[in-house]
């Protein structure tokens, strides 16, 4: 059995050897996903779905607390409807999947399989909105969308993925802009508080913003390998879509007006972010808030008198304040340890005959493997304390990784030298010209991640062209 245990651990490629393969190994070996028989489409297995459901549950409560309501829109969008807003259809055209047949009959009009739902919401609002008294309308839906990606990877980029997409309309531009900021802050809070992932909040450049948006705001996270992951976006549309789809309301002045619109979303990509921010060569390390199992109870020498009974008793008590699993299978303890480490369970509780004699157990943290001897009478305080300590340490390690992989540069030569030697964020000033943004991509291999809200003045000029620059940009390589 010990040999099998060793083989289980070796089944994961090491991060140092091949980070991309390590990531894929975890997705499959930790039983998060399975590849389907349709290329680019994945099956969320129960454990992967459970993690997503915990993220969903937390976010859904946050959305409802700020007045949002859940709705469900159709999965198919008529081509004529999609084309009403030119930027949107052009932006998504290469990724749209089309339905052309209904049963054995050819459809008169192609139907797009939902890549995003702005058009459907606008079409709906054009019929149901009448007066300013009905505003704001603040909707959200949990669904999947289809985008025909050329290169796919579980959670990060698949042809179908699960997400939430919020869509709101407001009486004034100021209200809509406040909504985009509120939802971006919500995403940042979830990432930092629940997922233990530090993020940079900022605005996308015009090149990187959502098709059809006036402004796109983002949270950018750094993975262990120094690459960036766009982890959530919030978009301000102004009244552009409202005008394209003839969405109007009678205002306080008894005149017709177009409402101001937002949309915002995060997806199962956050599961990928958890893996690549916290995982190690033995598998997942899950932040407690989104761990389907927070504590696994493993009896040691379960055949000895009283051990199995006490393990079951402890699991029952722990279930009142944590998500717990009793592993009373006949596998060897070492095999169990490796299995639950692979799945990222934050805490392991071991109890054996000697522990019974001393009225204690052993708690083992997934991240540090630290063993803590705890009286059985103190578990109710010790377990939550250890879970919170693990969460804080995960966050601090991720923050340290980001800080150590972030550099400043004032010249193009500095940028290229840093990009060649490292993977991470490079901060520079920027003049705002698209040509300089493209030059950064062509010469240094970096894309703009965002113009952070927390600006720094690194120099007076753009490193690409030498012209005056007032905005600082984070550049990096992104997933």
């Amino acid at each position: 059995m010990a040999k099998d245990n060793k083989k289980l651990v070796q089944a994961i490629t090491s991060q140092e050897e091949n980070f991309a393969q390590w990531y894929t190994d975890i997705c499959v070996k930790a039983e998060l996903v399975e590849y389907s028989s349709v290329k680019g489409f994945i099956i969320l297995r129960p454990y992967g779905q459970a993690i997503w459901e915990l993220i969903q549950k937390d976010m859904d409560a946050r959305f409802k607390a700020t007045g949002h309501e859940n709705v469900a829109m159709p999965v198919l969008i008529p081509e004529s409807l999609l084309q009403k807003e030119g930027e949107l259809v052009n932006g998504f055209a290469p990724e749209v999947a089309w339905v052309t047949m209904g049963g054995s009959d050819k459809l008169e009009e192609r139907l797009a399989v939902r890549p995003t739902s702005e058009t459907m919401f606008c079409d709906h609002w054009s019929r149901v909105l009448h007066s300013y008294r009905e505003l704001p309308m603040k909707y959200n839906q949990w669904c999947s969308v289809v985008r025909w990606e050329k290169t796919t990877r579980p959670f990060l980029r698949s042809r179908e993925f699960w997400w939430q997409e919020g869509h709101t309309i407001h009486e004034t531009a100021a209200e809509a802009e406040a909504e985009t900021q509120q939802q971006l802050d919500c995403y940042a809070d979830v990432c930092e508080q629940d997922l233990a992932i530090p993020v940079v909040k900022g605005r996308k450049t015009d090149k990187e913003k959502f098709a059809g948006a006036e402004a796109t705001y983002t949270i950018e996270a750094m993975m262990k390998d120094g690459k960036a992951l766009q982890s959530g976006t919030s978009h301000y549309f102004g009244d552009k879509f409202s005008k394209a789809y003839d969405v109007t309301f009678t205002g306080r002045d008894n005149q017709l007006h177009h409402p101001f619109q937002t949309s915002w979303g995060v997806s199962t990509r956050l599961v990928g972010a958890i893996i690549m921010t916290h995982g190690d060569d033995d598998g997942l390390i899950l932040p407690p808030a989104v761990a389907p199992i927070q504590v696994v109870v493993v009896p040691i020498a379960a055949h000895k008198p009283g051990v199995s009974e006490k393990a079951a008793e402890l699991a029952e008590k722990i279930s009142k304040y944590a998500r717990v699993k009793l592993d009373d299978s006949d596998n060897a303890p070492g095999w169990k340890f490796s299995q639950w480490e692979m799945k990222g369970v934050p805490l392991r509780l071991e109890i054996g005959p000697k522990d019974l004699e001393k009225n204690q157990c052993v708690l083992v943290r997934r991240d540090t493997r630290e063993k803590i001897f705890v009286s059985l009478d103190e578990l109710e305080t010790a377990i939550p304390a250890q879970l919170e300590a693990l969460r804080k340490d995960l966050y601090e390690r991720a923050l340290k990784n980001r800080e150590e992989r972030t550099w400043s540069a004032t010249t193009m030569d500095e940028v290229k030298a840093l990009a060649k030697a490292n993977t991470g964020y490079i901060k520079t000033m920027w003049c705002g010209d698209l040509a300089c943004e493209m030059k950064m991509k062509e010469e240094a291999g970096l894309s703009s991640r965002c113009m952070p809200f927390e600006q720094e003045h690194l120099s007076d000029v753009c490193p690409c062209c030498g012209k005056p620059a007032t905005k600082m940009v984070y550049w990096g390589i992104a997933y």
Side-chain angles (χ1 to χ4, degrees):
M1 189 60 70
K3 185 177 180 182
D4 289 342
N5 171 37
K6 186 178 181 182
K7 184 178 179 181
L8 179 67
V9 175
Q10 287 180 334
I12 301 180
T13 304
S14 74
Q15 295 181 37
E16 291 294 327
E17 181 184 341
N18 186 327
F19 193 84
Q21 188 59 51
W22 165 83
Y23 173 81
T24 302
D25 286 349
I26 287 183
C27 288
V28 176
K29 303 289 184 183
E31 299 179 340
L32 302 177
V33 302
E34 179 64 46
Y35 293 99
S36 78
S37 50
V38 182
K39 186 178 179 181
F41 288 71
I42 61 168
I43 297 164
L44 276 186
R45 298 188 67 180
Y47 199 62
Q49 177 68 15
I51 295 170
W52 176 237
E53 284 178 355
L54 287 165
I55 297 172
Q56 180 178 346
K57 181 180 178 181
D58 178 32
M59 284 196 170
D60 198 64
R62 289 172 185 259
F63 298 160
K64 287 173 179 171
T66 49
H68 299 88
E69 300 176 287
N70 283 338
V71 299
M73 286 285 167
V75 70
L76 298 179
I77 304 171
E79 184 174 14
S80 58
L81 196 63
L82 196 62
Q83 289 179 336
K84 279 190 176 182
E85 206 294 311
E87 281 189 68
L88 182 73
V89 69
N90 290 335
F92 280 100
E95 300 173 356
V96 174
W98 295 99
V99 175
T100 59
M101 299 288 290
S104 57
D105 298 324
K106 185 176 181 179
L107 299 179
E108 292 183 7
E109 180 181 15
R110 292 196 302 175
L111 301 174
V113 181
R114 173 177 55 209
T116 184
S117 298
E118 280 78 10
T119 55
M120 295 302 286
F121 276 93
C122 286
D123 187 50
H124 170 64
W125 285 325
S126 71
R127 293 190 296 271
V128 301
L129 175 62
H130 304 290
S131 166
Y132 73 89
R133 295 183 179 87
E134 299 166 291
L135 294 172
M137 289 185 174
K138 299 165 71 175
Y139 295 156
N140 175 67
Q141 73 169 345
W142 296 93
C143 62
S144 71
V145 294
V146 172
R147 297 178 186 176
W148 215 260
E149 301 280 1
K150 292 182 179 178
T151 303
T152 62
R153 186 177 297 175
F155 296 117
L156 302 183
R157 203 172 289 277
S158 53
R159 288 179 174 173
E160 180 186 29
F161 58 88
W162 291 263
W163 75 345
Q164 60 75 211
E165 48 177 319
H167 298 267
T168 69
I169 46 173
H170 303 261
E171 185 178 0
T172 68
E175 289 176 4
E177 289 171 340
E179 170 80 7
T180 61
Q181 184 62 60
Q182 172 188 274
Q183 294 313 111
L184 191 76
D185 290 342
C186 173
Y187 292 157
D189 287 346
V190 169
C191 282
E192 298 195 333
Q193 295 170 13
D194 295 340
L195 310 187
I197 299 175
V199 297
V200 176
K201 294 190 288 187
R203 179 171 176 166
K204 288 288 191 182
T205 64
D206 285 347
K207 175 182 177 294
E208 297 292 332
K209 71 182 181 181
F210 183 84
E214 286 194 15
T216 289
Y217 303 97
T218 182
I219 53 171
E220 299 286 325
M222 183 184 287
M223 305 297 95
K224 268 191 173 180
D225 63 349
K227 291 184 181 179
L229 187 73
Q230 179 179 289
S231 301
T233 50
S234 186
H235 316 289
Y236 171 64
F237 292 112
D239 58 4
K240 183 187 297 185
F241 278 79
S242 296
K243 288 176 177 176
Y245 289 86
D246 196 26
V247 183
T248 60
F249 66 94
T250 302
R252 298 172 191 270
D253 57 2
N254 211 34
Q255 301 296 312
L256 284 180
H257 298 270
H258 295 285
F260 296 85
Q261 185 176 347
T262 80
S263 77
W264 28 273
V266 297
S267 73
T268 40
R269 171 175 280 208
L270 288 179
V271 180
I274 293 168
I275 298 169
M276 291 195 294
T277 303
H278 303 308
D280 63 17
D281 284 351
D282 293 324
L284 280 168
I285 300 179
L286 291 175
V290 295
I293 302 166
Q294 295 171 315
V295 183
V296 60
V297 177
V298 180
I300 307 298
H303 60 285
K304 294 292 182 71
V307 172
S308 293
E309 291 79 5
K310 178 56 73 171
E313 178 189 322
L314 290 175
E316 175 62 27
K317 288 181 178 179
I318 293 168
S319 69
K320 294 177 173 58
Y321 53 86
R323 293 184 289 276
V324 63
K325 165 76 175 178
L326 170 64
D327 189 343
D328 55 1
S329 68
D330 60 2
N331 290 314
W335 194 95
K336 295 178 184 181
F337 296 167
S338 289
Q339 180 190 33
W340 298 116
E341 286 177 358
M342 172 80 79
K343 287 180 168 286
V345 175
L347 280 181
R348 183 172 75 241
L349 186 155
E350 302 171 12
I351 187 157
K354 292 182 180 179
D355 299 308
L356 288 180
E357 294 173 8
K358 299 177 182 179
N359 192 46
Q360 69 177 25
C361 67
V362 181
L363 292 181
V364 184
R365 278 178 47 164
R366 169 62 181 87
D367 59 333
T368 62
R369 307 310 207 286
E370 178 185 2
K371 291 192 173 186
I372 306 144
F373 293 89
V374 178
S375 166
L376 299 184
D377 300 326
E378 297 173 359
L379 277 180
E380 192 169 349
T381 55
I383 286 176
Q386 289 301 320
L387 291 174
E388 176 58 14
L390 181 144
R391 183 198 71 82
K392 286 182 177 179
D393 287 351
L394 288 180
Y395 181 86
E396 290 302 322
R397 280 193 285 272
L399 183 60
K400 183 172 183 280
N401 180 59
R402 189 181 80 186
E403 289 175 342
E404 290 177 348
R405 288 177 172 269
T406 301
W407 300 272
S408 299
T410 57
T411 69
M412 199 61 189
D413 285 342
E414 288 178 349
V415 171
K416 288 191 282 189
L418 285 168
K420 185 177 180 180
N422 311 280
T423 305
Y425 291 147
I426 299 176
K427 301 183 292 187
T428 76
M429 302 305 290
W430 179 51
C431 64
D433 287 349
L434 174 62
C436 290
E437 190 173 357
M438 298 302 293
K439 183 178 179 181
M440 192 69 75
K441 181 70 173 178
E442 292 163 5
E443 296 191 11
L446 305 174
S447 62
S448 63
R449 303 319 313 143
C450 70
M451 297 173 284
F453 294 150
E454 294 185 7
Q455 285 280 304
E456 301 170 45
H457 184 76
L458 305 176
S459 72
D460 294 321
V461 298
C462 172
C464 296
C465 66
K467 294 178 183 176
T470 57
K471 286 288 186 183
M472 185 189 80
V473 175
Y474 275 81
W475 308 90
I477 297 172
Y479 279 100

